[in-house]
Amino acid sequence: MKKDLNAKLSRGALRTLDAFSGAMIDLLRAKPLTSISVNELCERSSYPRATFYNYFDDRDDLLAYCWIALSGKAKVGDLEAVEPRRRVDLALDMMADMLEDNAALLKEVLEHNPIDGPLFASMRAFITERSRDLMRTCVDRDRYSLPVELVADHYADILMLVLDWSYLRGHALTRPELHDYVHVLLEGVEHPRS
């Protein structure tokens, strides 16, 4: 993305980002990602192509911003302040909250986009990377003999595996079941051999 989201954005820039992400989400409710063009996004958002390219490299770049915008509603807390054994549960809950808060949208989008297609590959990549970022900042470094980055990546992959299974593949799990599945799959890391 061409705009730095960590910098303070003007109201105009925020309106423009909202217009483009809203246009993308509206179109995804009605058709597959692969049939959405930049021209269509510009027409739907009432902005010219030049403005689109001032903000985004391409349609996929806008899609990545849409994940950021949708996840922004799910508040991500500071995991470092949480007891180490609860951090994975909290990270799982944050990602599950994002999916649950957008359940109606996901259902509509699933009608037009295959679960193994580019739209959901992009969403999985976003959630996995967000989980990795969360876990890298809070892995209890003294607890493992493995490199912290490897442990964080493993945790993030397991979180995405269970979230995908429950929310996208239709195996509805309760929160306690989500937590149980994650901890069973992490057992080898959670209880390392001495």
Side-chain angles (χ1 to χ4, degrees), residues 28-155:
L28 287 171
R29 286 183 161 127
K31 61 196 305 186
L33 172 67
T34 54
S35 66
I36 296 173
S37 69
V38 170
N39 284 339
E40 211 171 2
L41 290 163
C42 292
E43 185 178 306
R44 178 70 62 111
S45 64
S46 300
Y47 282 95
R49 284 177 63 91
T51 301
F52 178 89
Y53 288 110
N54 283 336
Y55 284 79
F56 307 102
D57 292 322
D58 54 26
R59 180 193 66 199
D60 294 333
D61 196 24
L62 169 57
L63 181 60
Y65 174 74
C66 288
W67 302 133
I68 293 167
L70 289 173
S71 71
K73 296 171 186 165
K75 300 298 179 213
V76 176
D78 178 13
L79 293 181
E80 289 184 31
V82 176
E83 176 188 349
R85 295 191 186 282
R86 289 259 316 119
R87 291 173 183 167
V88 70
D89 291 331
L90 188 57
L92 174 64
D93 286 339
M94 287 182 221
M95 297 299 118
D97 287 345
M98 183 187 85
L99 293 169
E100 288 173 10
D101 290 347
N102 295 290
L105 171 62
L106 287 175
K107 184 178 179 187
E108 289 178 60
V109 169
L110 269 169
E111 291 177 16
H112 305 287
N113 291 274
I115 200 157
D116 58 347
L119 174 89
F120 287 100
S122 171
M123 185 182 78
R124 284 182 189 97
F126 171 78
I127 291 173
T128 300
E129 191 55 39
R130 188 84 181 255
S131 297
R132 282 186 180 127
D133 289 345
L134 285 170
M135 297 312 298
R136 281 185 191 121
T137 63
C138 68
V139 169
D140 187 3
R141 297 175 185 277
D142 298 331
R143 197 168 157 213
Y144 304 103
S145 58
L146 298 171
V148 171
E149 292 79 14
L150 180 61
V151 173
D153 287 352
H154 180 67
Y155 274 54

Side-chain angles (χ1 to χ4, degrees), residues 131-183:
S131 297
R132 282 186 180 127
D133 289 345
L134 285 170
M135 297 312 298
R136 281 185 191 121
T137 63
C138 68
V139 169
D140 187 3
R141 297 175 185 277
D142 298 331
R143 197 168 157 213
Y144 304 103
S145 58
L146 298 171
V148 171
E149 292 79 14
L150 180 61
V151 173
D153 287 352
H154 180 67
Y155 274 54
D157 290 341
I158 295 298
L159 291 178
M160 187 62 238
L161 179 68
V162 173
L163 291 168
D164 188 308
W165 177 261
S166 181
Y167 292 97
L168 299 179
R169 303 220 179 252
H171 304 280
L173 299 173
T174 65
R175 281 296 171 101
E177 288 173 326
L178 281 173
H179 289 259
D180 289 346
Y181 279 42
V182 165
H183 286 286

